[in-house]
Amino acid sequence: NNDNNKSSNTASSNHVRNNHVGIQNEPQTAGTTSNNSNNTTRSISTLIPSGPRLMPPSGLNAIYSLQFHPKRWELSSSETDDGGSHDGSSPWLVGAGKSGLIALWDCSKKANEASEDYIEPVISWKGHGGRWIADARFLPPPCSSFGESSNASSGPSRLLTAGNDGNICHWDLTCTSLKTGAPKLVCQSTKKLHASGIFSMDVRVVSDDISNNNQGAFIVTGSKDKTLAISTLDRLNDTPLWRCDFHRGKVGSVCFSSSKHNPLIASASDDGVVAIHDARLDGRKGGGSNGVVAKLEDAHVKPHSAVWKADSDSVFMTGESLGIASSGGVVS
């Protein structure tokens, strides 16, 4: 069951309680504090939600993806801890999940007086035909100048979403339909990308290519069809730039490393393997190594998460639904 798999993979990672998105402020600390002449160590045992909550639209009963819109767009969203921003994020937040629904909130707004502690979405719409959306990622404005601050008050302009209908959708948030209120759908992938549902998507923003056909973004996806694929905005409805069929099970997590010149890709699959891919190598079975330069086979039964340490091409973390986390490394 696609929905059950997705739910178990994300239940522990998203800030969703009682169908509301909680704004997490400074962590509340508890436990012991040790002091010496050199440093102070405080153990954090819990995060306590504070401030207003964000009210999801009707039907968005589970949120599988959350991202704040960056104030500044740098070389890659993978290179920083806050989604591509070296000086923080704007108050805009995107959430997506159950029933193919997407919502945008402006967290700078005051709570609705009628509902007291809740902020309603600025816009929400059904973006996918499947049962859920796996990931939603903001994109920089087209032909923007990297490193220059965008006008955060004007809000985000572009969005990518990927769902278990097997599609990636590219949305223009600056244009909405008078009839439906939904943003303009610029482009949508086809079955040439994946034959079944997409379980994970990562986006790498590249400044060197902002004026070229890929429009400054490479998109990697992992699917129930057991493959990984890399595409660009101008090729969403065409065959991907690169495909890998190394895995023997659903690919539940994909992530670009932070390398500026040759980012590696980490993937986690239901076949029990975490793999590191080099997209310069042939990823098909006829290509020998399938583009895999390293793999971790014995750390998990069914790994569903693989993320790179910030600013690193050699250290990554993996996790599975049993609550077990492992660290891995790639010899460079």
Side-chain angles (χ1 to χ4, degrees), residues 5 21 30 53 63 70 90 99 129 135 155 158 251-252 279 288 293 309-310:
N5 288 344
V21 182
R53 291 182 178 272
I63 297 175
S90 79
S99 302
D135 278 307
R158 298 194 298 171
V251 181
V293 295
K309 181 181 178 181

Side-chain angles (χ1 to χ4, degrees), residues 47-331:
L47 291 172
I48 301 174
S50 60
R53 291 182 178 272
L54 308 182
M55 178 67 74
S58 176
L60 187 55
N61 299 322
I63 297 175
Y64 297 147
S65 180
L66 288 170
Q67 188 194 27
F68 275 106
H69 184 260
K71 284 183 179 177
R72 284 170 59 94
W73 288 97
E74 302 294 340
L75 289 179
S76 169
S77 61
S78 303
E79 293 181 28
T80 59
D81 292 332
D82 54 15
S85 170
H86 285 299
D87 61 350
S89 57
S90 79
W92 287 90
L93 177 75
V94 61
K98 205 72 174 286
S99 302
L101 294 174
I102 309 163
L104 290 176
W105 294 271
D106 182 355
C107 300
S108 66
K109 288 190 174 183
K110 294 183 179 180
N112 189 326
E113 293 182 1
S115 57
E116 296 183 357
D117 294 331
Y118 301 109
I119 298 175
E120 299 287 344
V122 174
I123 185 173
S124 64
W125 71 100
K126 183 173 178 61
H128 288 259
R131 298 174 64 182
W132 42 258
I133 293 173
D135 278 307
R137 294 289 181 267
F138 287 116
L139 290 173
C143 301
S144 65
S145 178
F146 282 79
E148 295 182 3
S149 297
S150 63
N151 185 1
S153 63
S154 65
S157 61
R158 298 194 298 171
L159 182 73
L160 282 178
T161 56
N164 90 316
D165 57 2
N167 294 327
I168 295 176
C169 292
H170 176 199
W171 304 95
D172 182 352
L173 302 177
T174 65
C175 301
T176 57
S177 167
L178 292 176
K179 182 178 180 180
T180 65
K184 178 182 177 181
L185 179 60
V186 179
C187 188
Q188 180 175 311
S189 67
T190 67
K191 292 300 181 182
K192 292 181 180 180
L193 183 65
H194 287 294
S196 54
I198 296 173
F199 273 70
S200 182
M201 174 181 70
D202 194 24
V203 179
R204 177 175 173 79
V205 177
V206 185
S207 65
D208 293 342
D209 299 315
I210 191 67
S211 60
N212 295 335
N213 288 335
N214 65 31
Q215 300 185 47
F218 289 101
I219 308 156
V220 62
T221 48
S223 171
K224 190 182 178 183
D225 67 9
K226 308 176 186 178
T227 69
L228 290 77
I230 295 179
S231 189
T232 54
L233 294 179
D234 66 305
R235 294 181 63 94
L236 283 184
N237 57 1
D238 202 347
T239 55
L241 293 173
W242 178 86
R243 189 189 300 279
C244 178
D245 52 14
F246 166 77
H247 287 292
R248 302 185 308 277
K250 179 199 75 186
V251 181
S253 178
V254 291
C255 184
F256 280 118
S257 73
S258 60
S259 172
K260 296 180 180 179
H261 304 292
N262 180 45
L264 299 172
I265 302 162
S267 65
S269 170
D270 280 0
D271 61 11
V273 179
V274 176
I276 306 300
H277 310 262
D278 186 339
R280 295 175 300 178
L281 305 176
D282 189 352
R284 306 312 297 262
K285 289 181 178 178
S289 66
N290 299 87
V292 174
V293 295
K295 57 185 177 180
L296 187 65
E297 297 183 278
D298 302 321
H300 302 285
V301 177
K302 280 190 176 183
H304 66 71
S305 296
V307 295
W308 291 92
K309 181 181 178 181
D311 300 320
S312 175
D313 290 327
S314 59
V315 179
F316 59 92
M317 292 294 296
T318 62
E320 65 175 308
S321 58
L322 296 177
I324 301 172
S326 299
S327 61
V330 179
V331 179

